[in-house]
Amino acid sequence: MKRPTLAVVAARAGVSKSSVSRVINGETTVAPEIRDVVMQAVQELGYVPNAAARNLVTRRTDAVAVVVSDPPKGVVSDDPLFSTVVRTVSRELEAVGRRVVLILAESDESRARVERYVAGGHVDGVMLVALHGADPLPVALARMGLPVASFNRTAATDVPYVALDNAGGAELAVRHLLDRGRRRIATITGPLDLYESRERLEGYRAALRGTGRRSIVALGDFTRVSGAEAMRQLLEDDPDLDAVFAANDLMAIGALRALHQAGRRVPDDVAVVGFDDIEAAAYTTPALTSVRSSMADQATATVRLLLALIEGGPRKPVIMPNELVVRESS
Amino acid sequence: MKRPTLAVVAARAGVSKSSVSRVINGETTVAPEIRDVVMQAVQELGYVPNAAARNLVTRRTDAVAVVVSDPPKGVVSDDPLFSTVVRTVSRELEAVGRRVVLILAESDESRARVERYVAGGHVDGVMLVALHGADPLPVALARMGLPVASFNRTAATDVPYVALDNAGGAELAVRHLLDRGRRRIATITGPLDLYESRERLEGYRAALRGTGRRSIVALGDFTRVSGAEAMRQLLEDDPDLDAVFAANDLMAIGALRALHQAGRRVPDDVAVVGFDDIEAAAYTTPALTSVRSSMADQATATVRLLLALIEGGPRKPVIMPNELVVRESS
DNA sequence: CACCCCTCAGGGAGCGCTCCCTCACCCTTC
DNA sequence: GAAGGGTGAGGGAGCGCTCCCTGAGGGGTG
C-alpha cells in the first residue's frame, strides 16, 4: 500500500536521489546507463512521484481551475454550453498534460471559496466562464496575480477574454430574414445585463436600420421557458409578425413550441432564427436555422489564451467569427 | 506576491507555529485569546495555507477525481447526461468542501494517464462514469486500493456502484403502452454491450411476455441519429406498428423526427416513450413521455457512496427507483 | 502540604521532492 | 606534463506544513 519514494528508487538503482530526479524529469545530462538502471528500478517498484512534494518545491501544479460562475438556474448552466465548454476545455488541457479542477461558483459563499482556493496555490491559472456581467469574481481573481482567461467578455476589463462577434452574428441572421422577404421581424433578447445579449440586440437593430422596418423586442433570459413566453407575448402584441430572431437556440426552441401551440406554421407563417447552433438545433421540428458560433472553438481559443498567459504571453482579447446555418425554420 | 507562511503568522501573533496550525485547523484545545490574536494576524497578512505542504504531510487532498471514461462520440459524452452528472457531482462535493478534478478518459493513452494520476496521490477517491461495459478502467482503478465508486454498473464487480432499475423502468413504459391499447410495440435499444441497454431490453420483453404480442427490436446506440435511423428501419420492416419504446430520450427524439418525416402522427398513429426524462423531453413536438430516472439523484447517490467509502464505509451497491412521466407522445 | 494528573503551548522532526553547489574525473591545450 | 575547462554525479538544504513529544503550570485529592 505504501508507495515507494525517490530515495527507495535511488537505493535500488544504486545511484543518488538527484540522478533519479533527473531521469524522472527527463533531463538530458544523464548518462544512458544511469538512465536505464533508474528506469528499470522505477518499473520494478511501480514508482510514481508524489505530487504534493513536487508541487511544494516547484510551486507549479500543472492544474488549471475552470470556474463556472453562475446562479444555479443561470445561463451557463444550461446543457449545451456547459457540456461543450467543459468537455472541450478538458480535452484541450489533457492534451498538454494539465488537469482540470472544475468549480461551480453558484453562490457568494462558493465564490469566496474559489478565491481562497486559488490563493492556496492549488492551480497555475484560472479559466473563467462567467456570463453574468455584474459577476464580481473576474475582478477578484484578476487581483490575485494568477493568470486568468475568460471564456467571454466580463466587467473586469483587465481580464483577457475570448468573445464572439455577437453583433455581427445577429446582423447576419436578420439580413437573412430580410433577404427571405420578411417584413415584420421581432427579436427575443437574452438578459440585458450580459454583453452577449446587448451586442446581439445591437446587431439586430443595426440590420434593421435604414430598411424602414421597426424593431419589435421581447425580453428573455436564454432559457427555453422564457423563449416560449416571449413568443406568446410577441404574438399577442403584434399578430402580424412574420419572423423572429431569438438571441439563442434554447429560446428559439421555446419559441417554436409556442408558435406550434398558437397554430402558426414555421416557416410559412413565421420564420425563426436562433443563435449558437447547438446540437439540438438540427433536431427541432422544423429544424432550426441558427448562427453558428462554435462554442467549442471559443473554448479552445480560451484555453490557448490561458496557456499563453501562464507562459508569460501578452494579454490580448480574441474575437471569434460566425456563420449562418440555414435549415428549415426560415 | 509572495504569500505569507505559517511561521510568519506565528511571529506576527507572537505564538508558536503549532498554535497557529491548531487555530487554522479548528482544534478546540486552544485558549480563546491565542485564537483571537492568531485570527487577527491571519486576517492582516491575508494568510492562506499552502495546499501542497499540507497534502504532503497529511496524505489527504480533499479532492476527488471524476473520471468520465468514454470514446469521444460515446454515450456519456452526450449533453444531458454529462452536464447533469458533472454539475450535480460538483455541487455535492463542493458542499462538503471537496474539489472536483474532472478527467475525460477518451483514449487508451488518457486512461493510462488517469491511472498514473490517481497513483500520484492527487486525490482521495475516484468517481467513475464509464458506461461502456468493456471499459478496462474500473478494474484497473479498483486494484489501486483507493476508494472508487461508479455511477453505474461496470464489469468490475468489486467496484461499488449506483444503478437504475432499468428493467423495471422499461416494464413501466411498455405496460403503459399496453394500457393505452397499443398492439404492435417496438423498441429501439441502446448498444448491447451496456448493462443499461440489456436490462432495458429485458424489461421490454418481460412486459410483453404473456400478452401474445411479439417483440420488435431495432438496434441503436443512444444517439439521436441512431434513433432516427432505427425508426426508419422499423417503419420499413413493420409499417403497422403503433408504438415505440426507445431506450433513451435522445433516440426517442430522433425517432420522433423520423416519424414526422415519414408522415406519421404522434401519438395518433404511433405512440413514443423514451427513457431518462432529460430536460429536452418536455420540449419536443409533441412532448415526450419518458421514464424518469433522475440522473441527478443517481449522481448524488454516487457521491454519497464515494464519500462513505472514503470514510471507510461498506461497499454496497445502490439501486434507484423510476417513475413514468406521461406527456403528449403516448 | 505533597503528590499526581490534566490541560495546553512550544520545539522540532520529518513528509518527498527539487535544485544549487561541490567535486571528481576526463579531455584539451600549450 | 601541468594547468584549465567542461561534463555529469552526489550531497544536502529547504519548500510549508502537521503532529508527536516535552514540559510548564494549575487544580484536585489524600
Side-chain angles (χ1 to χ4, degrees):
Chain A
M1 200 74 282
K2 179 118 175 58
R3 309 222 133 260
T5 71
L6 241 203
V8 174
V9 176
R12 171 113 178 188
V15 299
S16 71
K17 279 174 20 181
S18 309
S19 293
V20 177
S21 177
R22 286 189 194 101
V23 172
I24 297 291
N25 292 294
E27 285 180 38
T28 50
T29 65
V30 187
E33 59 271 25
I34 287 201
R35 217 188 70 87
D36 290 347
V37 70
V38 169
M39 289 300 258
Q40 187 172 346
V42 167
Q43 282 293 326
E44 289 169 6
L45 296 169
Y47 171 72
V48 181
N50 178 297
R54 177 179 280 172
N55 298 166
L56 180 56
V57 40
T58 60
R59 260 108 226 304
R60 302 197 314 104
T61 60
D62 284 340
V64 164
V66 175
V67 178
V68 179
S69 177
D70 209 35
K73 275 282 132 218
V75 182
V76 185
S77 313
D78 218 312
D79 291 356
L81 198 163
F82 180 84
S83 67
T84 304
V85 170
V86 170
R87 226 177 312 146
T88 306
V89 166
S90 177
R91 247 172 235 155
E92 204 72 25
L93 287 168
E94 160 96 6
V96 296
R98 287 181 186 273
R99 292 297 152 184
V100 174
V101 178
L102 182 68
I103 309 182
L104 263 48
E106 299 181 328
S107 65
D108 289 344
E109 186 202 338
S110 64
R111 262 181 281 278
R113 237 207 284 261
V114 171
E115 288 182 50
R116 242 177 301 126
Y117 180 75
V118 170
H122 289 79
V123 293
D124 297 338
V126 180
M127 169 165 161
L128 198 55
V129 186
L131 288 189
H132 203 279
D135 198 308
L137 204 46
V139 183
L141 290 176
R143 260 202 311 261
M144 311 207 47
L146 212 69
V148 179
S150 174
F151 176 73
N152 54 312
R153 219 173 124 185
T154 68
T157 47
D158 49 344
V159 173
Y161 62 92
V162 175
L164 299 179
D165 180 7
N166 288 298
E171 251 187 277
L172 220 56
V174 179
R175 273 192 216 294
H176 162 74
L177 290 169
L178 289 167
D179 288 351
R180 286 282 205 258
R182 303 289 166 163
R183 330 210 105 251
R184 298 182 86 87
I185 306 174
T187 188
I188 302 174
T189 73
L192 292 181
D193 52 344
L194 268 54
Y195 286 101
E196 280 72 7
S197 305
R198 293 204 297 268
E199 289 171 0
R200 288 173 194 185
L201 178 57
E202 185 43 48
Y204 163 83
R205 291 206 160 114
L208 249 40
R209 199 168 297 145
T211 64
R213 289 168 175 78
R214 65 185 187 81
S215 55
I216 312 168
V217 178
L219 289 176
D221 65 5
F222 276 160
T223 63
R224 292 183 183 87
V225 176
S226 77
E229 199 139 315
M231 191 68 242
R232 279 191 286 274
Q233 187 67 45
L234 286 170
L235 287 175
E236 196 168 306
D237 296 354
D238 201 332
D240 295 338
L241 61 84
D242 59 5
V244 178
F245 162 61
N248 79 345
D249 285 351
L250 292 174
M251 293 195 300
I253 290 171
L256 283 178
R257 181 157 181 74
L259 286 166
H260 177 79
Q261 287 171 339
R264 308 293 175 110
R265 288 165 307 157
V266 177
D268 311 56
D269 301 332
V270 180
V272 178
V273 179
F275 201 118
D276 289 342
D277 192 30
I278 60 178
E279 208 194 332
Y283 287 86
T284 55
T285 314
L288 187 66
T289 294
S290 183
V291 179
R292 174 182 195 67
S293 55
S294 184
M295 289 175 190
D297 291 352
Q298 192 183 353
T300 301
T302 311
V303 171
R304 302 264 161 86
L305 176 60
L306 178 57
L307 292 175
L309 287 169
I310 291 175
E311 305 296 331
R315 308 159 59 83
K316 277 214 293 269
V318 178
I319 307 292
M320 309 290 295
N322 307 297
E323 60 176 312
L324 189 70
V325 180
V326 180
R327 296 203 183 83
E328 302 161 9
S329 71
S330 69
Chain B
M1 202 76 279
K2 180 117 175 56
R3 307 222 136 263
T5 69
L6 240 205
V8 174
V9 176
R12 171 109 177 193
V15 299
S16 70
K17 279 173 22 180
S18 310
S19 294
V20 177
S21 177
R22 283 193 267 267
V23 172
I24 297 293
N25 292 294
E27 285 179 39
T28 48
T29 65
V30 187
E33 58 269 26
I34 287 200
R35 217 189 68 87
D36 291 346
V37 70
V38 168
M39 289 301 257
Q40 187 171 348
V42 167
Q43 280 293 326
E44 289 170 5
L45 296 169
Y47 170 74
V48 181
N50 178 299
R54 176 179 283 172
N55 296 168
L56 179 57
V57 39
T58 58
R59 260 106 226 302
R60 301 197 314 104
T61 62
D62 285 340
V64 164
V66 175
V67 178
V68 180
S69 178
D70 209 36
K73 275 284 133 215
V75 183
V76 185
S77 314
D78 218 310
D79 291 356
L81 198 163
F82 179 84
S83 66
T84 303
V85 170
V86 170
R87 226 178 313 146
T88 306
V89 166
S90 176
R91 247 173 236 153
E92 205 70 27
L93 287 168
E94 160 95 8
V96 296
R98 289 182 185 270
R99 293 298 153 184
V100 174
V101 179
L102 181 70
I103 309 183
L104 264 49
E106 300 181 328
S107 64
D108 289 344
E109 186 201 336
S110 65
R111 261 182 281 277
R113 234 207 285 261
V114 170
E115 288 182 50
R116 242 177 301 128
Y117 181 76
V118 170
H122 290 78
V123 294
D124 297 339
V126 180
M127 168 166 163
L128 199 54
V129 186
L131 289 190
H132 203 281
D135 197 308
L137 203 47
V139 183
L141 290 175
R143 260 202 311 262
M144 311 208 46
L146 212 68
V148 179
S150 175
F151 176 73
N152 55 310
R153 217 172 125 184
T154 68
T157 47
D158 49 344
V159 173
Y161 61 91
V162 175
L164 299 180
D165 180 8
N166 289 297
E171 253 187 275
L172 221 54
V174 177
R175 276 194 213 293
H176 161 74
L177 290 169
L178 289 168
D179 288 349
R180 285 283 204 260
R182 303 291 166 163
R183 331 210 106 252
R184 298 183 85 87
I185 305 175
T187 187
I188 303 176
T189 73
L192 292 181
D193 52 344
L194 269 52
Y195 287 101
E196 281 74 4
S197 305
R198 292 204 297 269
E199 289 170 0
R200 288 174 194 184
L201 177 57
E202 186 40 51
Y204 162 83
R205 291 207 161 114
L208 248 39
R209 200 168 296 145
T211 65
R213 290 168 175 77
R214 63 184 188 81
S215 55
I216 313 168
V217 179
L219 288 176
D221 65 5
F222 275 161
T223 64
R224 291 184 184 86
V225 176
S226 77
E229 201 139 314
M231 192 66 243
R232 278 190 289 272
Q233 187 66 45
L234 286 170
L235 286 175
E236 196 168 307
D237 295 354
D238 201 332
D240 294 337
L241 62 83
D242 60 4
V244 178
F245 163 61
N248 80 344
D249 284 351
L250 292 174
M251 294 196 299
I253 289 171
L256 282 179
R257 183 159 179 72
L259 287 165
H260 177 79
Q261 286 171 340
R264 309 291 176 110
R265 288 167 306 156
V266 176
D268 311 54
D269 300 332
V270 180
V272 178
V273 178
F275 201 119
D276 287 344
D277 192 31
I278 61 177
E279 208 192 334
Y283 287 87
T284 54
T285 314
L288 186 67
T289 294
S290 183
V291 179
R292 175 179 195 73
S293 56
S294 185
M295 289 174 189
D297 291 352
Q298 192 182 353
T300 300
T302 312
V303 171
R304 302 263 162 86
L305 176 60
L306 178 58
L307 292 175
L309 288 170
I310 292 175
E311 305 296 331
R315 309 158 59 82
K316 277 213 294 268
V318 178
I319 306 292
M320 310 289 295
N322 306 297
E323 61 175 312
L324 189 70
V325 180
V326 180
R327 296 204 183 82
E328 303 160 10
S329 72
S330 69

